[in-house]
Every structure is written in structure tokens, then in C-alpha cells.
Amino acid sequence: MLKLIPRDISWLSFNERVLQEASDHSVPLRERVKFLGIFSNNRDEFFRVRVASLKRMLEIETKMKMHSEKNPQKILDEVQRLNTEQQLSFEKVWTEVLAELNRKNIFLKNDKQLNAEQKKFILDFFDNEISANIVPLMVENIKKFPNLRDKSIFLGIAMSKTTDKSDRKYAIIEVPVTAVGGRFIVLPSKEGSHDIMLLEDAIKFNLPDIFSFLGYDEFEAHIFKFTRDAELDIDNSDTTTIIQKLEKGLKNRKKGKPIRLSYDENMDAGFLEYLLNRLGLSKKDNLMPGGSIHNFRHFMDFPSEVFTDKAKRKQPFIHPLLLGERVGDVLQRRDVLLNFPYHSFTPVIDMIREAAFDPDVISIKIACYRLASQSKIINALVNAVRNGKDVTVMMELKARFDEEANLQWQQTLTDVGAKVLTGIQDMKVHAKICVIKKRVKGKTTHYGFVSTGNVNEKTAKLYGDHCLLTANRFIMADINRIFNFLQKPSTGFHFLEKCKTLIPSPGFIRTELNKLIDYEITAAKKGHDAEIILKMNSMADAKLIEKLTEAAKAGVVIKLIVRGIFCMQSENKKFKYPIKAISIIDEYLEHARVWVFHNRGNQKVYISSADWMIRNIEHRIEATCPVKSPQLKQELIDILNIQLKDNTKARILNNELNNEYVASNEEAVRSQEEIYNYLVNKRY
């Protein structure tokens, strides 16, 4: 039987690569701070989703079809061990980063380190900005423990009196990060120095004032946070709408079972014991004692103004073919490939805006998964409806942690008269597709896009993705077929079966991938050149990994670029040629899915919204698109080859997943910089 690396262990290895970036002294200090925040945020979501799922599996003592884990307790034990190791590494890196901040004259001040001017500043700041958002909970007086939010941080406060140490009370204060506008308070500082105070320390400084009416004069306050099971339970047994079911599920998520507690190791022992009892946790659960700071995800928003270095990301640029001309007009002549974040996302917005005001445009259909908080795409679609266009939006309401935002967008679009599709029971719509219908002088044309990434102008500045803008009539016809299925999913998959160019999920993509791999296997066995290059976020599907293993044994050259989960054992003495498998973690998040098959020299190149995971292959609506233009095929292959040469930010994905950097005696190659240079100098 094929041996795989457990998915969750592989994911922890990925997050360790993120932590490596925070520990790398060659990374700018502001970015190191940010990577600590990313690591923390990743880990929180891992516990909310994956650890919670493993615990559910353990509780119901059954094997879930969507997971390959056979011994959840064994995996949970290994997760706990690795998590403890990573926490120690995290604390070491944070100590190093904090020391480096101090060397740059950037200081985090606690409530006992303020000078006279800063004390006055914090007293005023508390009165004006914080106090109205403070609601202390005297927890001993509450019969039912409050439903504390799992993304928040809290101060656990033990109060006593100098005159009577036995008179001891406990209280909880939620630190109002969102309400105040952030966790960091930039203090008045001497010239050349930057002093910063965390919001919780400002609250600590004001505890005597907060509790003055109770007569206590001694306070111990320590930070804590906990993580809830974030699985969204949707009851499909009744006849309510998907929106009503989702709203109910979101309410229930807020009451999810606590599965992890992180706290200041100096917390009052009595308060900690009380907290464990009220949360229903035991010392066998995931308890994470640590330093005085928790919820490091906020450090992704560390004040940028305190850094003196002026190093900035290179700015995205407009694709040369789209300068000074309407996007829709360009696409009538040729396809354009946008490579984010190097190319600007603006032409995607422009394409929808142009269509909204074009009198010849009849309809717009678009699938949305995750949108920017102030989405220009939604604004353009709203204007399109107001201009009389027939607008259909597939708004995936079950996009994890974006459910509430997507519910609001659904309402916005519905209110103006757009037709909003809200998904399919037991399945997510993850395809990133758009088709615009236009009629000029009796002739109907279509244009639009297929993308590997979300229709999101914010993440397009940070995520590496590809978006094919095209008027190819075969691709557009297939996008229409996918929308026909989305509008009438109960009629079956016959709309998807009719796709001639796009390869849709679920189901069809596995069949096609097996054919493509088998063709390379046959070529290799006949002594012909055979090669497969794959780039994706995650590779966990056991059947496809088994097929790749078969190909490697047959002599197919295999090169893999996988950012996150990687369950394949890439080292095997039976492989005719060693598999090259790397993960690139750098300034931008590598999010694209690109697949290249040698095909006896006539290379087949695809971009896709799907990773090689069971959920993408079998349980989601995805779109995989062949790239037909020889120029664009070569562009994608060139970009992949640049990444395969990376010897600066690439780590080897071996059987041990120990994240060794690719070693090379050749000139240093940092692929994200090289790709930018390649694209900015490219001539069309």
C-alpha cells in the first residue's frame, strides 16, 4: 500500500517554513515581524479546523470519507509534539526579533515602563478611545460562563486588597482591538526612538481606575486566548434556505467547543484553574503556556511608520498589451495572461466596469469566492445592474471564514436586482470564472476570464496567481455550461459533461489527469522523453499521488512546486529519476496552480483553481483551463523554470519534510525577483 505523509503533519511542516522566514536575518525586519503574525494566524486556523476535525473523528470513532487519516489519536499526539517544538522555536525567534527591534530603537513598553509624558498620554488615550469599549466581567458572579469569542484576546485579572489578602476576586476583560482600531499604540518618544504600547498593557495601566468602585488596590492581569472548533455545521434535514441554514451555522460556530487555551505562563494559578473548569478543558488538552504576548496575528499590522528603512515591494504594473485600450477590445484580437502580483489587477476591474457601461453588453456572469472588504468588483457589478445588464453572480456562501462577508455581498447584489446563486448542497463552488456577453450589429461575442486566484484586488497584490483574459469561444461556451449547471444543479451533471475545453470538477478532472499521466508513462516506457511539471498549493490526493509514483517508476521526469500540504514521499529507490520537489516561501504567497505535460514535445499546459486534494477533485466545482496560445504556454513554462531554479527561498520536500534549503554553488536565484524582471522586460 502507498505510504503517505499525514496531511496535518505536512501542514505543520509548511508553517515551519513560514517561521523560517521570520528567523532569516536577510529578511527585512518589518517582514520578519509580519511572518511571525502569519505563522500565528496559520496555526490558529489549523487548530480551529484540522485539530477540531481530528477530535471529532476521535469522538465519533469513525473514518470520515474526506480524510485519509486512520489513527486520529496518533496524529493528534504528533501534532501536540510538533506544536510544542514550534512554540519553543517561535519564542526564540520572537526574542531575536524583539532584540533587533530594540537595536533599531523600536521598543515595546509595558504598563510599568512609561515615563511621565507617556503616562499622561495613555491616561488620555484610555479615556478618549478605550474606556467606552471596556466591559469587565466579574466571572465569579456569573452563573453561566459567557460565550467568549475565540478570535479575541482577554485579560484574566486577579484582584486583592493590601489590607486583606484573602479577599480575592476574578474578572475578565476582552481587549477591544477592532473597536479601538488596532492593538498598537504609538507613544510620544524621544527623537530617534519609537515607543509602542500594546492595547492590553494600556488597559493594565488603567485597572485601578476601572475597578476603583470595588475598593481593590492590587491587580495581577495576564493575557489569554482560546480556540474554538470552527467547523460550520449546516443542517440539511429541513426545508429552510441555504442562507437561513448558514446564518444558523454561523451562530452555532460562535459557541463551538474550546479545543486549545493559550495563556501567560505567569497567570495566577487560581484563575487558570477556574478558567479550565469553566471552559471544560483539562490539562490533557492543548494548553499552551507562553510569554506575556499572545495572538501574534495582529503583528501582521505592526505600525509600519516606526521603521526607518524605506524598502518597499515593487509595485504591480499594467500589462503592456492593455495600456491605453479597452480590455474587451484587446481580447477580441488576442488572449492576455495576467501574472499577479507582478501585473496589476486593475484590468480585471476595468473589464467589469467597461461592461457595466457598454450599451452593447447584454449580460455578465461571474463566480466569486473571497472578495476584498471594499470590493471594486462588487461596485462594478452593482453599476452593471443599474445600467440594465443581466448580472448573475455565483457567491459561494460557504467560503470558510468569509461566510459572513459573502452573506452581506449577497444581500447587496440581491437588493439591486442581480441574480445571485448561493451554492450547491454539500459542495463548494471554487472555480474563478467570468463570461461577458456582447451583441454588436447582430453578432454575439463572449469574453471573460479563467483564474487560479480569487477576484480580490487586495490579495492580488500579495498572492502569486495567473488569470487568463480571453474571448476564446470554446472556453466561453464551457463557462456558460458551468453556469447552466450552477443555475440548475438538481438536473445532474450533463451540463458539465458537455464541456469540450475546460475540465471541470468534480469527477471529470481525475479522469483527465489520469489520461495525461498515463500518456507520459507510455512515452517513457517506449524510450521517449516524458516529463510532468506541477505547481499547486497542496498535494494530498492519494490516488493521484499513486499515479505520479507509478509515473516516476516508469521513468517520467517529475518536477513539483508545492507551497503547502505535501503528502507524497518524493524519495524512492524505485524511481528511475529522482523527483525534484520544492516549496517556495517568500515575500508573496505562491497560490497558482499550473500543470505541464510534455506530450511528446507538444506540451499541454493548464491553469486551474484546483489543488490535488480530495475536496477539490471530488467535492468542489472547479475549472481547469488549457492554455492554447504558444506564447502564453511558453510564458508559463518560463515562469515555472525560474521557480525550479530558485536556490534562495526554495526548500526541498523530502520524505522527512525537514525543510532544508536548496543548496547550489551556482549564482543565487530568488525566483520572485527574477519573475518580476522577466515580466517587466518582456516584449510582446
Side-chain angles (χ1 to χ4, degrees), residues 503 512 515-517 519-520 531-534 594-607 625-628 633-634 636-637 640:
I503 309 168
E512 188 63 27
K515 287 180 183 177
L516 291 164
I517 298 171
Y519 190 88
E520 298 301 318
E531 182 180 66
I532 299 171
I533 304 174
L534 304 171
V594 185
W595 312 333
V596 179
F597 299 88
H598 185 269
N599 193 41
R600 299 287 296 272
N602 183 22
Q603 289 163 307
K604 290 189 173 183
V605 180
Y606 301 85
I607 61 172
C625 180
V627 179
K628 298 293 188 179
K633 283 169 61 174
Q634 190 59 51
L636 284 166
I637 292 169
L640 289 176

Side-chain angles (χ1 to χ4, degrees), residues 394-556:
M394 172 60 236
M395 183 66 65
E396 180 48 77
L397 300 183
K398 300 188 293 293
R400 195 187 299 276
F401 304 133
D402 276 85
E403 300 96 343
E404 292 184 76
N406 286 358
L407 275 170
Q408 292 175 2
W409 290 129
Q410 179 269 339
Q411 190 62 55
T412 298
L413 291 164
T414 301
D415 286 347
V416 297
K419 184 173 185 178
V420 183
L421 310 177
T422 54
I424 302 171
Q425 185 172 308
D426 299 326
M427 195 175 292
K428 288 183 180 180
V429 180
H430 194 243
K432 283 79 175 177
I433 50 178
C434 174
V435 57
I436 298 168
K437 182 179 180 181
K438 186 172 180 175
R439 190 163 183 82
V440 181
K441 296 179 180 179
K443 181 181 179 183
T444 300
T445 60
H446 297 84
Y447 62 98
F449 67 74
V450 180
S451 181
T452 68
N454 296 311
V455 189
N456 187 318
E457 58 266 30
K458 183 177 179 181
T459 57
K461 295 178 181 178
L462 303 170
Y463 288 18
D465 273 305
H466 304 293
C467 181
L468 179 67
L469 305 179
T470 181
N472 181 290
R473 62 190 180 93
F474 300 107
I475 293 174
M476 293 298 108
D478 282 351
I479 292 178
N480 271 316
R481 291 183 179 107
I482 292 174
F483 273 101
N484 287 338
F485 168 74
L486 295 176
Q487 289 174 293
K488 300 177 181 178
S490 60
T491 61
F493 287 90
H494 68 277
F495 287 117
L496 300 184
E497 290 172 350
K498 292 179 181 177
C499 287
K500 300 292 192 299
T501 301
L502 294 184
I503 309 168
S505 290
F508 304 99
I509 194 170
R510 185 183 297 282
T511 301
E512 188 63 27
L513 283 170
N514 282 331
K515 287 180 183 177
L516 291 164
I517 298 171
D518 279 335
Y519 190 88
E520 298 301 318
I521 290 173
T522 300
K525 287 180 176 179
K526 291 182 178 180
H528 301 302
D529 290 341
E531 182 180 66
I532 299 171
I533 304 174
L534 304 171
K535 180 185 177 182
M536 63 193 75
N537 291 300
S538 300
M539 180 181 285
D541 185 275
K543 292 179 181 178
L544 289 175
I545 290 174
E546 188 170 18
K547 180 60 72 173
L548 275 185
T549 300
E550 180 187 345
K553 290 177 180 177
V556 179

Side-chain angles (χ1 to χ4, degrees), residues 9 105 327 335 447 503 506 618 630 666:
I9 305 307
N105 291 320
V327 176
D335 291 353
Y447 62 98
I503 309 168
E618 302 290 351
E666 298 178 5

Side-chain angles (χ1 to χ4, degrees), residues 23 25 32 91-100 103:
S23 67
H25 290 269
R32 295 178 68 191
E91 289 170 0
K92 180 182 177 183
V93 174
W94 167 238
T95 300
E96 293 174 355
V97 168
L98 185 59
E100 184 63 25
R103 282 193 285 273

